[in-house]
């Protein structure tokens, strides 16, 4: 594994959820997912009732996670891109996820799992620690984008 891949996996382990992105009929969509890292691959748990896994199975997807809402002076974002496959996780992997939600959009949660073998990994970090102690720009309204971090 490259240093970026090792760092990305280390950061991903710090948060339980991220966003899965792909396209359906040339239209992009983003869906929330719970993740764990197992064997250098990203394993996702999603709700089968939304059928997002069907659109992703065998397709190239991107999965990203971040700590944007944490209030930390060190803000980071990671993204893994690769082919997703619907899989049956091992008992150990299932245990790592912990309990799932009871309901998703008002219907009973039915788990389905996708595994992503990362082909491309990106890590971005914004460090506000160099400014005045404890200062960080206030959160902006929805629609704020972090395009590129140095």
């Amino acid at each position: 594994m490259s240093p970026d891949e090792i760092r990305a996996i280390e950061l991903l382990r710090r948060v339980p959820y991220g966003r899965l992105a792909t396209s359906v009929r040339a239209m992009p969509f983003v869906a929330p997912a719970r993740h764990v890292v197992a064997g250098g691959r990203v394993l996702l748990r999603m709700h089968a009732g939304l059928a997002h896994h069907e659109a992703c199975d065998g397709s190239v997807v991107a999965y990203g996670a971040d700590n944007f809402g944490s209030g930390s002076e060190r803000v980071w974002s990671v993204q893994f891109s690769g082919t997703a496959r619907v899989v049956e996780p091992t008992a150990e992997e299932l245990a790592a996820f912990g309990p799932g939600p009871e309901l998703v959009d008002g219907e009973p949660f039915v788990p389905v799992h996708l595994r992503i073998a990362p082909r491309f990994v990106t890590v971005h970090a914004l460090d506000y620690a160099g400014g005045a102690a404890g200062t960080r720009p206030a959160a902006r309204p929805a629609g704020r984008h972090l395009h590129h971090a140095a």
Side-chain angles (χ1 to χ4, degrees), residues 91-148:
E92 184 178 282
E93 291 168 339
L94 283 173
F97 277 111
E102 274 187 48
L103 301 173
V104 174
D105 295 338
E107 62 181 66
F109 176 66
V110 177
V112 65
H113 300 86
L114 291 168
R115 187 175 318 274
I116 302 171
R119 299 284 309 245
F120 301 101
V121 175
T122 57
V123 178
H124 297 289
L126 298 168
D127 193 350
Y128 291 97
T135 60
R136 178 178 159 201
R140 295 188 182 169
R144 175 180 175 230
H145 301 284
L146 293 177
H147 296 286
H148 187 351

Side-chain angles (χ1 to χ4, degrees), residues 33-73:
R34 170 80 169 94
H35 64 259
V36 298
V37 178
R41 295 183 179 179
V42 180
L43 182 63
L44 306 179
R45 179 179 71 192
M46 304 176 73
H47 175 51
L50 300 175
H52 293 145
H53 65 288
E54 293 172 3
C56 296
D57 190 29
S59 297
V60 174
V61 302
Y63 185 72
D66 57 64
N67 72 338
F68 292 167
S70 70
S72 172
E73 290 181 345

